[in-house]
Amino acid sequence: MTDTHKASLEYARMMDANDSIHSYRSRFHMPTQKDGTPYIYMCGNSLGLQPKSTADAIGQELHDWKMLGVEGHFHAKNPWMPYHEFLTEAMARVVGAKPEEVVVMNTLTVNLHLMMVSFYRPKGTRNKIVIEADAFPSDKYAAESQIRFHGLNPKDCLIELKARQGEVCLRHEDIQAVIEEQGDEIALIMLGNTNYYTGQYFDMKKISEWGHAKGCMVGFDCAHGAGNIPLELHDSGCDFAVWCNYKYLNSGPGGMGGAFVHERHQNDPNIPRFEGWWGHNKETRFKMRDAFEPMPTTEAWQLSNPPILAMVAVWSSLRIFDEVGMQQLRKKAISLTGYMESLVQSLGEDVVDIITPSNPDERGSQLSIRVKNADKALFDRITEKGVIADWREPDVIRVAPVPMYNSYEDVYLFYEALREEI
Ligand SMILES: *Cc1c(COP(=O)(O)O)cnc(C)c1O
């Protein structure tokens, strides 16, 4: 139960006054209603807000293109030729990897396919992919189509991890049991590291260890983890990871994705890969020689020269992440999400049920709130009160108090809107 004093605007404002990273809110455009009042934006897990610095950064590239044309590849303020390299170190810091292990490229589902080309290699009876039963649809389509691409049948080759009867989140011990019992038939374990629906965060290190002990490849879709939770991808030991940068990483609608390949797979001449010129050794890329000579890093998976106007938005956001750092964000996230949890819970167990794990180590900045006997009309009424959140049929409201720009006051105002409409 919440102390009643916490359920007040004064308390929320006091928390904001004591929040050492509160000022970062002013670095972002807050969407506003027609009358000029800001929305209570709780949807940073779907589309992060626009950094105020992004327009100028894009303007710089438009200017250089205007003034320099093709010469911009070498003479732009930020030359386009090595452009992706400008992003790599900051991206690596956000996801906890070595710079050689990450690259910003393509979009998420594209990268997932490229990674599965390399890391889903069915052989004999080891031909299955493990995913969550409630995986994000795109991930499921990608996995099923990869299975069919190898001439196999998803009915036989997809193992879906289901929560126990009456439960919503998966238990790690159940994931472990599936790997132990069926590991010899599993080619690839591919989970969302933070489930998009429940907000549950999986222990990537343990799952990688269990999988590797059975000879499986292990990859993660970090769409809901990147920029949300410090991921430690390198130390997790997973084989690959992919993510998008437009959710917690604020890089704009349909913005570029990222990919991680563990260093143990770099320079493996036997790894199958779909190849393109941007994956070729950059020293000799323009000699247009016959044989593909891969970059010695995850850059080898790049296909095309990157879209600069989309890359620039990722870079502009990563600069802010570099200033704040994932540790500070995580510290505030635990407090801010905890505050929201305590307020929502005070509405009573007979009214709301938070399906996201209550252990802060098993979640990031999202709460999925099941409202008993609710339908979409309730959600629509909250929306009318200026809350932007996400509704999942039949009865779940997903909200993300994002530590980068959401305030304790936002959280309080969301709670007020919910309370009034319930
Ligand atoms: C957001 C999200 C996607 C979206 O894929 P795109 O290729 O960027 O359109 C895919 N998978 C998961 C788990 C997501 O959360």
Side-chain angles (χ1 to χ4, degrees), residues 23-29 50-53 319-320 323:
S23 65
Y24 282 91
R25 179 183 178 83
S26 68
R27 306 273 288 270
F28 291 81
H29 291 291
Q50 184 187 135
K52 289 180 181 166
S53 52
R319 285 182 167 122
I320 306 176
E323 272 180 47

Side-chain angles (χ1 to χ4, degrees), residues 55-356:
D56 278 351
I58 292 176
Q60 175 73 49
E61 303 312 326
L62 287 173
H63 174 79
D64 287 348
W65 177 25
K66 176 170 129 187
M67 302 305 287
L68 298 168
V70 71
E71 290 296 311
H73 280 106
F74 299 99
H75 302 302
K77 178 163 179 252
N78 311 303
W80 305 326
M81 187 74 148
Y83 202 91
H84 72 273
E85 296 171 16
F86 303 143
L87 286 64
T88 302
E89 292 199 0
M91 189 78 256
R93 280 189 282 274
V94 167
V95 297
K98 298 188 177 182
E100 307 81 67
E101 293 173 316
V102 305
V103 66
V104 174
M105 62 177 186
N106 310 314
T107 47
L108 192 162
T109 309
V110 174
N111 289 338
L112 186 54
H113 275 297
L114 293 179
M115 291 296 124
M116 285 200 279
V117 163
S118 296
F119 298 104
Y120 173 54
R121 299 184 305 228
K123 226 191 211 144
T125 52
R126 189 188 283 283
N127 59 15
K128 298 187 176 167
I129 300 180
V130 176
I131 64 171
E132 299 138 277
D134 64 350
F136 195 88
S138 194
D139 299 41
K140 202 163 187 177
Y141 303 147
E144 287 177 343
S145 59
Q146 286 279 336
I147 290 169
R148 285 196 299 270
F149 177 73
H150 286 279
L152 300 166
N153 188 339
K155 277 208 185 85
D156 307 323
C157 295
L158 204 62
I159 300 176
E160 297 185 46
L161 298 172
K162 288 196 183 71
R164 291 185 187 186
Q165 188 77 31
E167 297 183 10
V168 189
C169 292
L170 285 168
R171 295 194 191 194
H172 279 87
E173 70 230 55
D174 292 351
I175 301 175
Q176 184 180 18
V178 167
I179 297 171
E180 279 185 359
E181 283 155 26
Q182 304 179 62
D184 296 341
E185 297 178 355
I186 298 169
L188 172 66
I189 299 163
M190 203 280 293
L191 306 180
N193 88 315
T194 311
N195 182 278
Y196 81 100
Y197 178 68
T198 62
Q200 180 183 18
Y201 177 64
F202 296 113
D203 187 329
M204 295 195 288
K205 190 167 187 178
K206 282 210 183 105
I207 293 171
S208 299
E209 282 168 8
W210 298 331
H212 290 160
K214 282 287 187 174
C216 321
M217 291 287 181
V218 183
F220 290 95
D221 179 338
C222 299
H224 281 265
N228 176 15
I229 295 168
L231 294 178
E232 310 302 344
L233 286 180
H234 175 82
D235 290 343
S236 82
C238 71
D239 297 287
F240 74 85
V242 293
W243 58 93
C244 53
N245 290 304
Y246 52 78
K247 291 173 177 163
Y248 292 93
L249 285 162
N250 311 320
S251 300
M256 312 267 319
F260 161 91
V261 176
H262 198 278
E263 66 179 356
R264 81 174 79 87
H265 297 296
Q266 316 283 358
N267 295 313
D268 172 359
N270 299 317
I271 210 154
R273 194 194 291 115
F274 284 172
E275 290 163 350
W277 72 323
W278 233 250
H280 190 280
N281 177 358
K282 67 180 176 183
E283 310 306 334
T284 53
R285 187 185 290 148
F286 287 91
K287 298 210 172 105
M288 309 286 181
R289 300 180 336 164
D290 288 340
F292 180 79
E293 193 192 311
M295 301 273 287
T297 62
T298 300
E299 292 162 297
W301 275 265
Q302 293 179 115
L303 299 176
S304 302
N305 76 103
I308 301 301
L309 297 181
M311 293 289 275
V312 69
V314 186
W315 192 13
S316 141
S317 169
L318 285 175
R319 285 182 167 122
I320 306 176
F321 272 82
D322 247 355
E323 272 180 47
V324 195
M326 284 306 297
Q327 298 310 326
Q328 278 209 86
L329 286 169
R330 178 64 179 153
K331 196 166 145 246
K332 176 173 169 188
I334 290 171
S335 162
L336 195 64
T337 307
Y339 180 52
M340 179 181 269
E341 179 182 45
S342 70
L343 292 179
V344 171
Q345 272 172 346
S346 73
L347 296 168
E349 274 176 27
D350 45 336
V351 186
V352 289
D353 172 21
I354 298 176
I355 63 177
T356 306

